Structure formats: structure tokens, C-alpha cells
Amino acid sequence: MSNRVLSMRRDPTLIGTVQDVAGTSVSVSLVSESATGLSFFKGESYRIGQVGSFVRIPMGYTSLFGIVSQVGAGAAPKADGDILPWGNQWLKVQLVGERGREGKFERGVSQHPTINDSVHIVTEEDLREIYGPGDPVDFVTVGHLASAESIPALVNINRLVTRHAAVVGTTGAGKSTTVAGLLAALSHPTRYPSARIVVLDIHGEYAKALADRSTVFRIAADATKGEKPLRIPFWALSFEELMKLAFGDLKDQPLAAVADAIVALKRESLSKKARDGVNTERLTADSPVPFCIHKLWFDFHQREHRTVIPKPGAAADDVETAYVLGADGKPAQIGDAMSVTPPQYRTVKTTGPANERVQWGPDPLGMRQQLAVLASKLRDPQLAFLFNPDEWRPGFDGTVAKDLDALLADWVGSPTAIAILDLSGIPSTVLNDLIGALLRILYDALFWARNLPEGGRERPLMLVLEEAHAYLGKEHSGAAATAVRRIAKEGRKYGVGVMIVSQRPSEIDPTILSQCGTIFAMRLANDTDRGQVAGAASDNLKGLFDILPILRTGEAIIVGEAVSLPIRTLIDPPDKNRRPDSGDPRVVVRGDPNKEGYEGEGGWAVPRHPEDYAIVMRQWRKQSPYYEHTKNEPGKPDANPKLGARK
């Protein structure tokens, strides 16, 4: 037996030798001492051959690092006509990075191992050097390594935010809790006093979790809780976005006519109040200048529905509007733009004396159906946040009490680090288009302010998109997907990052998911979902992603730009009062009604208390899940002494 082999076996960190190299994949033959699967080094025990664990291959002054992706006979190298009894003592390793002469770890490898190079376990000392000692300012702790509880899992904030990220996992895997913990760490008021995060919260889950460091914008805002009303002025939308939300589909001729009319109304608005940065020569239908959409509707409604009669005593082609007349001989209803009340016109009459005939007005565009849709939306209280947005609602002359700078100051310039835009009260029919408009407004504002202190380069913005599969699916080609694709491709240069949160990554457009530089992959049982995540990850780690179905709740595999090495991490759960409102309902709760009570409200094991379904109807009609308790309501006790007051 050679001295080299004897010296190798005396090294307690040695686990095997390289026997096959193919690209980034290395097959390692275990030495006989490793057959027990356990090794001891400096009083610490290390499990050998754990999928997801690290190995080190010394190469002179350089050490290559890899991650175990497969164990056993299937990890043995394959060769045509191979009949050798390879056995089961094999590891397959994916190379991920190297540590050079200066001791600095870098992703990627500059050289490959050769046959019989030794392979060693990665000790806690190695891991500490790789992940960095302490907790530097540009890293945030999200948990600890699953294989070494004493080593924190550090994530590079610079790359996490600007290179985009995705948090994926099946329902119940701890996805929302992980996001809440991440946001709490990223918005720490002492470490990051200028943090700027906007959360698009589809189901209203995060207000409770981030109550002390966020401002919540909700359509039905509760001022007693510090919430602010969510308002998205229609005139902040681009022409294309507005047309889709207001009219639906318009043909070329009416579309051009509406564009010209909007420009004219915006010119009128500018004549009443000048706006810095734009004048009548540079004005377009896309310019974020207020105008009265009620007046737009009224003018086109008249054009489409107006009937006329000959003007008494005038030439044959001189006509006047044929209003329905009241008993006093005056028009019964000439209409009102601001209340969306249409005029009443006489019906067409082509017979009888010439002075009694009623004709259609000149130059209709054939857009009656679209105008009816717009009128319905202008009256709809569910869309008041868009078409009647309080201080941002233009008057008949196009003037507004507040400009968009006040809106941006609330969303991305507020004293709190996080702005939660609660979209749970928005009708699902307009959600996709509205999310696209929101993202486009935020991105355009920071894009054009990129050289200012308020811009994204000096103060980056992170956008968190909850339930992203609902509007970023492969089949979606709407405004939301378009806006996110743009941010994913260009946002890094201008300080705008996006975090995609989804339980179905396979339904998200692969173009968007592939732009996410960092992926937090939690438990995923669906093979299609795992394949999508593995394909989007920057590292060739299919074997590592194969363990996703067996991850514990709150456990994640983090890969990509923000971590030095792919790591299997136990995410630190936030405190109970910081957890999102996304937990599963309890069918059975433990407790004793005669002693300390129950550990929670509701459940089948709790004695029934008086119920009042009139309150259910009130919430249903109100279209709000947020119950406002009123003392001494008829037929209802103030609170159940065992279960507590309604929430």
C-alpha cells in the first residue's frame, strides 16, 4: 500500500477520490473508511453522503467546492459495455465555486479536478470562511444552515434586491411566513433606515405581520389603524392601459378620436394649471396630466346618441338638438357629466312634416356599447378608487386638488420602509390590468428619476408580488406580465428589483422566472413545478431540487446570486405577532372551557356560541372582511366570554 494512500486515510476529512469528470458533474468513489457514513473532525460529527451537503476538492492553492446531488450506485460513472462491479459507494457532485489563494470564495470554477484528486468534507470552519464571519451590513440573516445550526444563512441584499428573486413553495410550506420574515429583516429601522419596499398584497395577509414598519393602503381603509385609502387615478395610466380598463376594445377610428379628445382635454387642463416638465407642444395621450373622463364620456355620448331637428326659421341644414320636452316645453333632461346622467333625446322620426322630423346627429363613430361600459364603470362604487379618486379626481375643467407627487410620496417616500398596497378589494375583472398599471407607474417614476436622490439608483426599490401566478401565467399577455417582464429585464440598471412569490411556479411565464437571480425553493411536490424551478436556477443542481418534496415546513433551498453557495436553510420564523394572516383554519383547537380556555378561536371542538348571520350579510354587502364591532347590537352579545370578541 502506497504512503500516499496511507496519508490520505489518516486525514479524517477525506471521504473519497475523483474518478470521473463530465463538465460540472464529478463522480466520487468513497474510501472504505467512509462506508459508515459518519466522520469526526475536531469533536464534530459529519454525515457523509447527504444530498445537499458540500464537499471540497483541494487543487494546490485553490479549493473547488461542490454540492452532493446523488448518492449510491446511480452516482457511479456510466460507460458503454461497462461490466465492472462498481458497487454502491459513490457520490455525484456538482461543482459550484472555488476559493482561491486569497481565501475569497467565488462562484464558478477556473479549473477542473483530475482522476484520483482527493475529496474532503466541508467543515464548519470552511463554511464560516465561505459565508463570511459575523453579519456585515450588506448581508442579512434569514435563518441557519440545516446542516450546521451555528452558522447563519446570510443573503447578499445588493444582489437579492436588484437581481430579482423568487419565493416558491406549495401551500402550507411556510412561503408567506418566509416572505414576512425577509421583509422584517430588510426593513430593520436601525440597519436600513432608508429601505423602500412596496408589497402588492392580493389577499390582505401582511398588514398584521408588518404593522410597526409599514403603511397599509386599502380601498376600505380603517383610519383608526393608521391605514390610508388606496387611490389609483385613471389619468396616471398610459393611453393603452386606460382604454383597456375604461372602454375595452375600440376599433381604429374611434380609438384615434378618443386619443385626440384626451389630448384636447389635457391641453385644457394645462391651460388652467401649468405642470412642470410638459407643455402643449410636447403633450401626448400618455402624459400623466389630469383630465375629466366624465366630460370625455359626455361628449362622446352626445356624439353617438344625439338626435336633431330643423332649427325654426333657419336654413334646411341648420339643426338643433332634439331633447325630450317636459310639460313646460323645456328640455326634460339635458344630462350631467359629473353624475354620469345621459341626456334624453327624442327618437328618430322620418315621416310627417319636415319641421317635425327627427334625424340622427352628424358623425357618429359606432361606439355606443363601449360608452355604455364606461358609463357603468364611472358609476360603479367598486371602481371609485380609479375613476373618482377623492383629491385626485379632476373637476370638469381638469384641475385636481393633489398631483401624483403626493401619491408617490405616500407609496415610495413615506416614513415607513414598507408600503402595502392591499388589492383584496379590487374586482378580479380588472386586477390584471390594474397591477400592470401600478407597476408601470412605479417603474416609470423611478426610471425617469434615476439620476435624482429620489430615484432607484440612489435608493433602490423592491417590489414584492404575492400570488404572482394569478397574473403572470404563461397564458397571460396582459399589462401585469408586460410590466414585470420589463422590470425583470431592465430594473437592475435603475435600482428596481422584484420578488416573485408563488405556489405554482410552473404557471409563471418562464421568461420572468428565469430573470430571478435568487430562488428560495420551499417544499414542492409537483414534478412540473420542480422542473420549472430547476430550469430557472442559475446553478446546475437538478439533484438538489429533487429533495424539494421532503423539505420541512419553513425549510428552503436558496440558490443563485445572493448566496455564496446553494444552501439548505431553516428559515427563522418571525415572532407570532409578525406572522401573516395566512394560516390554515383550525378544525380542532385544544383546551378546556372550565380551566384556562381554548388555545384559539373557533373549531369543531369548541362549544357553539350565539351566531348572527345578519352580520354575515352586512360584511358580504359591504364587500369587506374587516369587521367593525358595534356595542349593544340588537340580538348579539358584545363578546363571547370564552372565545373573545369578534375580530
Side-chain angles (χ1 to χ4, degrees):
M1 186 177 295
S2 66
N3 292 332
R4 178 171 179 265
V5 173
L6 285 172
S7 62
M8 287 172 59
R9 288 189 174 180
R10 293 192 188 102
D11 187 345
T13 67
L14 177 70
I15 60 174
T17 58
V18 173
Q19 295 299 320
D20 186 75
V21 181
T24 61
S25 181
V26 177
S27 293
V28 177
S29 174
L30 297 176
V31 296
S32 58
E33 283 82 353
S34 300
T36 60
L38 194 65
S39 180
F40 292 89
F41 180 71
K42 293 187 176 180
E44 295 288 341
S45 62
Y46 296 90
R47 293 282 298 174
I48 297 171
Q50 292 288 298
V51 173
S53 63
F54 299 108
V55 297
R56 178 176 60 89
I57 305 175
M59 301 281 293
Y61 291 107
T62 300
S63 287
L64 305 182
F65 287 86
I67 191 164
V68 177
S69 61
Q70 192 174 0
V71 180
K78 301 295 188 294
D80 293 337
D82 186 7
I83 58 172
L84 293 177
W86 290 99
N88 297 326
Q89 297 181 29
W90 288 87
L91 303 179
K92 183 168 285 186
V93 173
Q94 302 292 336
L95 298 176
V96 293
E98 67 181 23
R99 185 175 60 201
R101 184 190 298 265
E102 296 82 9
K104 182 180 179 181
F105 179 85
E106 294 182 352
R107 301 177 66 84
V109 295
S110 60
Q111 55 186 314
H112 284 73
T114 56
I115 303 303
N116 288 327
D117 281 344
S118 60
V119 180
H120 299 257
I121 57 174
V122 172
T123 66
E124 287 201 21
E125 291 180 1
D126 294 326
L127 290 174
R128 291 186 188 282
E129 290 183 13
I130 292 171
Y131 291 112
D135 197 2
V137 69
D138 53 345
F139 282 80
V140 64
T141 302
V142 297
H144 59 269
L145 270 62
S147 59
E149 293 187 8
S150 63
I151 300 177
L154 301 178
V155 176
N156 186 300
I157 297 181
N158 292 320
R159 294 176 179 173
L160 177 70
V161 175
T162 60
R163 303 284 179 89
H164 314 306
V167 180
V168 296
T170 189
T171 300
K175 190 168 64 275
S176 297
T177 304
T178 295
V179 173
L182 272 171
L183 296 183
L186 294 173
S187 60
H188 195 284
T190 304
R191 297 188 66 191
Y192 311 112
S194 294
R196 184 154 64 169
I197 301 169
V198 173
V199 181
L200 300 191
D201 191 359
I202 305 297
H203 298 306
E205 297 176 351
Y206 290 94
K208 174 185 174 184
L210 304 166
D212 62 333
R213 57 189 62 183
S214 68
T215 303
V216 178
F217 296 86
R218 182 179 285 131
I219 289 177
D222 185 349
T224 62
K225 297 180 180 178
E227 298 174 355
K228 293 187 176 183
L230 177 63
R231 301 293 180 258
I232 307 170
F234 66 88
W235 51 270
L237 276 56
S238 68
F239 177 71
E240 182 181 355
E241 293 164 352
L242 180 59
M243 289 303 97
K244 193 165 185 182
L245 279 168
F247 290 99
D249 293 328
L250 278 177
K251 295 181 180 178
D252 290 345
Q253 183 183 0
L255 191 68
V258 171
D260 291 341
I262 288 177
V263 171
L265 289 171
K266 289 185 175 183
R267 284 201 180 104
E268 179 185 346
S269 175
L270 283 179
S271 70
K272 299 293 182 182
K273 180 175 176 57
R275 308 281 173 183
D276 288 342
V278 66
N279 53 40
T280 54
E281 288 77 20
R282 300 183 65 241
L283 186 70
T284 70
D286 288 326
S287 301
V289 172
F291 73 95
C292 183
I293 196 169
H294 293 73
K295 186 176 182 181
L296 178 78
W297 166 80
F298 193 75
D299 291 345
F300 277 98
H301 186 278
Q302 288 180 312
R303 184 170 177 175
E304 290 296 302
H305 293 80
R306 180 176 175 235
T307 58
V308 296
I309 56 175
K311 195 170 186 179
D317 58 347
D318 197 359
V319 296
E320 64 181 16
T321 302
Y323 289 110
V324 173
L325 301 179
D328 57 358
K330 295 181 179 180
Q333 184 172 300
I334 62 173
D336 179 67
M338 302 310 289
S339 63
V340 200
T341 304
Q344 289 185 359
Y345 299 111
R346 292 185 227 174
T347 57
V348 172
K349 181 181 178 183
T350 58
T351 59
N355 62 343
E356 294 181 3
R357 293 176 185 175
V358 181
Q359 307 289 341
W360 287 115
D363 200 22
L365 293 168
M367 51 184 294
R368 284 190 174 192
Q369 182 180 354
Q370 289 84 356
L371 285 169
V373 169
L374 175 58
S376 176
K377 291 182 176 180
L378 293 179
R379 298 188 196 102
D380 190 349
Q382 282 191 307
L383 297 177
F385 72 94
L386 181 66
F387 293 114
N388 294 289
D390 298 339
E391 296 97 331
W392 292 274
R393 181 193 184 188
F396 197 74
D397 59 356
T399 58
V400 290
K402 287 186 177 181
D403 205 347
L404 291 183
D405 58 339
L407 202 67
L408 291 171
D410 277 346
W411 289 352
V412 297
S414 65
T416 58
I418 302 174
I420 299 176
L421 306 187
D422 186 336
L423 308 181
S424 58
I426 292 179
S428 58
T429 53
V430 300
L431 185 62
N432 189 311
D433 294 323
L434 210 58
I435 288 175
L438 268 173
L439 294 174
R440 202 266 315 155
I441 290 169
L442 290 169
Y443 183 71
D444 274 4
L446 268 66
F447 174 81
W448 293 110
R450 57 186 179 272
N451 295 323
L452 301 175
E454 295 82 2
R457 282 182 173 171
E458 293 200 22
R459 192 181 171 207
L461 171 69
M462 184 179 192
L463 298 166
V464 181
L465 310 183
E466 257 286 349
E467 299 290 335
H469 54 274
Y471 47 88
L472 300 181
K474 301 172 185 176
E475 73 282 0
H476 290 129
S477 57
T482 301
V484 174
R485 286 191 198 100
R486 183 185 177 197
I487 296 172
K489 293 176 182 177
E490 305 174 5
R492 179 187 61 81
K493 296 179 285 187
Y494 307 112
V496 180
V498 64
M499 175 179 283
I500 306 292
V501 184
S502 174
Q503 58 183 282
R504 289 306 308 271
S506 61
E507 295 182 8
I508 295 179
D509 185 344
T511 304
I512 295 174
L513 196 61
S514 64
Q515 296 290 330
C516 295
T518 305
I519 295 179
F520 294 74
M522 309 192 78
R523 185 169 63 246
L524 279 171
N526 186 280
D527 187 59
T528 306
D529 288 331
R530 295 200 305 274
Q532 186 83 343
V533 173
S538 57
D539 300 282
N540 180 25
L541 298 168
K542 184 180 183 303
L544 182 60
F545 289 118
D546 284 341
I547 68 172
L548 288 178
I550 61 170
L551 292 184
R552 294 164 285 179
T553 299
E555 189 174 13
I557 293 173
I558 309 176
V559 299
E561 303 278 352
V563 290
S564 301
L565 275 177
I567 49 176
R568 183 174 176 178
T569 308
L570 278 169
I571 304 293
D572 287 339
D575 297 335
K576 286 189 176 182
N577 62 338
R578 287 191 180 277
R579 295 182 184 178
D581 190 13
S582 61
D584 295 336
R586 296 289 298 274
V587 178
V588 177
V589 293
R590 298 178 182 275
D592 185 345
N594 299 316
K595 294 182 180 179
E596 71 277 1
Y598 292 96
E599 63 182 5
E601 295 187 18
W604 289 0
V606 175
R608 292 183 64 172
H609 58 82
E611 296 175 335
D612 185 356
Y613 287 91
I615 301 173
V616 174
M617 292 307 303
R618 183 178 73 182
Q619 299 304 120
W620 183 4
R621 292 186 176 112
K622 190 178 178 182
Q623 296 282 287
S624 172
Y626 304 102
Y627 174 77
E628 296 176 5
H629 180 69
T630 302
K631 284 191 175 183
N632 301 320
E633 288 187 14
K636 181 185 71 62
D638 288 348
N640 186 302
K642 294 293 182 184
L643 302 178
R646 292 177 185 265
K647 292 183 178 179

